[in-house]
Amino acid sequence: RHLYLYQVEGGAVTQLGSGESDEYLPAWSPDGRQIAYVSKRGGDADRHLNYDIYLVEPRKGSTERRLTSFAGADLDPYWGSRPAWSPDGRRIAYLQGGEDKWIYYSPWQLAIIDVATGTSKLPAPIDRCFYKPTWSPDGHTLYAGVDPAGLFMSDDRGASWRDVPPLNEHATRSAWEPSRGLFALHSICVDQHDPGHLVVAVSAGGVYCSFDAGASWSPANDGVRAENRPDRFPVAGHNVHRVVMHRQHGRRLYRQCY
């Protein structure tokens, strides 16, 4: 499973990855000059979880650069979160697990790495798993979800963090419940043309929208059937697997539900 570059116009295909290792979760840098991706190297790779983030230029024959070096999982593909480039391309927010010996007993944490130096830090180590770090368009604000379900945000590029009570203590929270072992705020969307417009998804809790940068939140589940609940069209409590936002039209959402 290798990384390929596909030219939409003309259909040309260029293989970027090589060797016996798989490559996962590609993410373009904002300027389009690099691709970050995840791979697990070393002997007998099926016996360890030591994933790392690599960088490569999108051209034939380019040499990859290993960005992370933690002796454990740097962005295990199982967590479903791609490398999140800051808008200026100087940092990448990602998830870092514990050492291999702890397997999944060590919650995966939010990490931020400087692309130029490779220096990384864990800005908010807590005993909860993080999900989907997402930058605001100006790069000053960083959002991240957690399990049990909640939203945290940083107004200083990840240096300090605070929770978001209007959502985390929402009046409909009593309708939220774990879904097959997962109880996470796992999707975060920021409108690229209206940064105050935020959309998040909770499994199982539903989709919520804010139009004032998180100061207030409303359920966005009207007309969506909830197969996981006896009342098929509830206000909240839906088992949402993912929600994504159209990049040019922030009011257009796509959701996958059970």
Side-chain angles (χ1 to χ4, degrees), residues 54-253:
Y54 291 79
L55 301 177
V56 68
E57 294 181 7
R59 57 179 176 81
K60 185 176 182 179
S62 59
T63 301
E64 68 181 13
R65 171 193 166 201
R66 181 181 174 185
L67 184 61
T68 62
S69 57
F70 172 67
D74 286 315
L75 209 53
D76 188 327
Y78 171 78
W79 303 332
S81 180
R82 295 178 186 274
W85 290 85
S86 61
D88 61 8
R90 297 173 57 188
R91 305 172 183 84
I92 292 177
Y94 64 101
L95 306 180
Q96 183 184 96
E99 297 179 41
D100 267 9
K101 64 181 179 180
W102 298 116
I103 313 179
Y104 292 114
Y105 292 98
S106 178
W108 45 90
Q109 300 293 300
L110 174 68
I112 301 175
I113 191 165
D114 184 281
V115 173
T117 66
T119 302
S120 64
K121 61 180 180 180
L122 302 180
I126 58 175
D127 192 25
R128 299 169 77 174
C129 291
F130 278 86
Y131 287 85
K132 294 288 177 66
T134 303
W135 298 89
S136 63
D138 64 6
H140 290 290
T141 304
L142 183 59
Y143 302 92
V146 294
D147 181 351
L151 179 66
F152 284 76
M153 64 183 296
S154 168
D155 296 315
D156 50 15
R157 299 182 176 88
S160 61
W161 289 81
R162 58 185 174 87
D163 75 332
V164 183
L167 176 66
N168 299 340
E169 301 172 10
H170 197 273
T172 61
R173 188 180 177 97
S174 60
W176 301 4
E177 60 184 6
S179 173
R180 298 181 182 178
L182 180 69
F183 184 31
L185 191 148
H186 56 69
S187 296
I188 303 172
C189 305
V190 182
D191 193 329
Q192 297 300 299
H193 302 286
D194 179 9
H197 177 212
L198 310 174
V199 178
V200 300
V202 175
S203 183
V207 172
Y208 287 76
C209 291
S210 173
F211 293 94
D212 50 18
S216 62
W217 294 82
S218 299
N221 305 295
D222 290 350
V224 179
R225 184 167 175 167
E227 298 291 344
N228 59 305
R229 297 183 61 87
D231 47 336
R232 291 304 175 88
F233 293 94
V235 174
H238 299 68
N239 186 2
V240 186
H241 293 179
R242 190 180 184 191
V243 63
V244 295
M245 177 183 288
H246 193 289
R247 189 169 183 83
Q248 298 300 324
H249 307 285
R251 301 300 192 272
R252 186 179 300 169
L253 304 174

Side-chain angles (χ1 to χ4, degrees), residues 39-41 45 48-52 66 69-74 100:
S39 186
K40 184 168 56 171
R41 307 292 170 82
H48 66 79
L49 295 173
N50 189 15
Y51 288 95
D52 281 302
R66 181 181 174 185
S69 57
F70 172 67
D74 286 315
D100 267 9

